[in-house]
Amino acid sequence: MKEELLPPKDFYFSTLDWINITGNQERLYEIYPELKNPAVGRVEEYKIIEGKPEYSNKAFVASLPGGRVLSDRAVISPDNKLLYDLSVEWMTPPEQHSIFKEKSLPPMTLIDETVAMLNHPAGYNYFHWLLENLARIHLIEQSNIKIDKYIINHRSLPFQLETLRACGITNDRILVPHEKFHIKAKNLVVPSYVNLPNAWSCKYVRDLLLSKFRVEKKKKYERVYIRRKNRRKVTNEREILSVLDKYGFNSIFLESMQVQEQIEVFYSASIVVAPHGAGLANLVFCDPGTTVIELFTPSYIEPHYWLISKLMNLDYRFILGNRENPNSFWSGFDDMSIDSSALIHELEKE
């Protein structure tokens, strides 16, 4: 059986390891160095960043002649090794990657073109799509490599299709991987992953989408509360809505809005109150000085929207609520209750 139809026997922990070990430095396009996170402004913010990375990843593009892609779970180097940084299976170390358990791989298709790999394990999530995957297009643009086709594991979700059109990536240039997908490209172009919001990713997404959509400021969105339909809900939301109503807030669900409408909400806002959730990726569209009050369950605290707020010069605050309805699978699914007096305290600062 040909080597290409057998699973790799080894891995590179990162694409940079492949570059350095094989002496392919000419195939590396270094775009941005590691970037240190913004400084903490308030002492209580240390709770948000505790134990989190202090730097965003080094940003680069690598060109792999004869590189391969298997479904949406593996990128294989020209010397038949797994590139783990582009094939991450969360909570699984590289040596236990599922590809090593295969006896053989599906038949391979040769593509005599330059193909960019834009798969992302959480591309179905609005935040990960916008600021971790869409932002990688900027890295490819900065490399000046002409791309013929893009491999993107999108699910035809409206926000994915809308933003791809905004990037000028049409359907005829997209290869959507499936279970038996196995291609070898004449030249496989791989942009590095984005681990944290940073200055260049936020600027790219903001500038791109504000320039592509006609967005106007609307008074009804000046003071807005973002509700959640599914997990990580506020269990005493009726009480919270009663408080917010007295302060002139409009409550909305982002899930039912198109991307342009979501951008308009945040572009218009002077204050945003919301439980932690993917829709807060839209904070990149807020004007400097906009107030953000993020609501957390104590079992799941992440720094993403604190980072965006600091990078976009927003006035960020947060309220730590009580954990409700603990989820046995993942604490990120836990609900929360919020002390209304703590919320009033923050609103009175306005």
Side-chain angles (χ1 to χ4, degrees), residues 173-193:
R173 298 175 67 199
I174 297 175
L175 303 174
V176 181
H178 48 81
E179 185 180 353
K180 300 294 184 182
F181 185 90
H182 183 195
I183 69 100
K184 180 177 182 178
K186 176 182 178 181
N187 187 25
L188 183 66
V189 175
V190 291
S192 56
Y193 275 128

Side-chain angles (χ1 to χ4, degrees), residues 140-154:
I140 296 173
E141 292 172 348
Q142 292 298 106
S143 75
N144 292 317
I145 300 174
K146 183 181 180 299
I147 305 299
D148 298 307
K149 295 286 195 305
Y150 294 85
I151 300 172
I152 309 175
N153 62 333
H154 72 70

Side-chain angles (χ1 to χ4, degrees), residues 276-289:
H276 176 82
L280 286 175
N282 291 302
L283 289 174
V284 296
F285 306 113
C286 288
D287 285 341

Side-chain angles (χ1 to χ4, degrees), residues 14 66 94 106 114 145 149 189 232 271 295:
S14 74
T114 297
I145 300 174
K149 295 286 195 305
V189 175
R232 211 178 308 126
I271 178 170
L295 312 178

Side-chain angles (χ1 to χ4, degrees), residues 40-103:
V40 169
R42 300 183 177 97
V43 173
E44 59 267 26
E45 292 173 4
Y46 281 108
K47 182 178 285 292
I48 296 176
I49 64 172
E50 184 179 8
K52 307 300 181 183
E54 295 182 24
Y55 291 83
S56 63
N57 287 347
K58 180 178 182 179
F60 64 86
V61 172
S63 172
L64 285 67
R68 291 185 286 141
V69 178
L70 179 69
S71 65
D72 63 352
R73 62 189 173 106
V75 178
I76 303 170
S77 67
D79 56 343
N80 198 34
K81 294 184 181 181
L82 180 75
L83 296 177
Y84 179 68
D85 61 329
L86 301 173
S87 313
V88 172
E89 293 180 336
W90 287 334
M91 309 302 290
T92 303
E95 63 274 9
Q96 294 179 21
H97 194 281
S98 62
I99 196 170
F100 296 124
K101 300 174 184 177
E102 302 286 350
K103 292 183 179 179

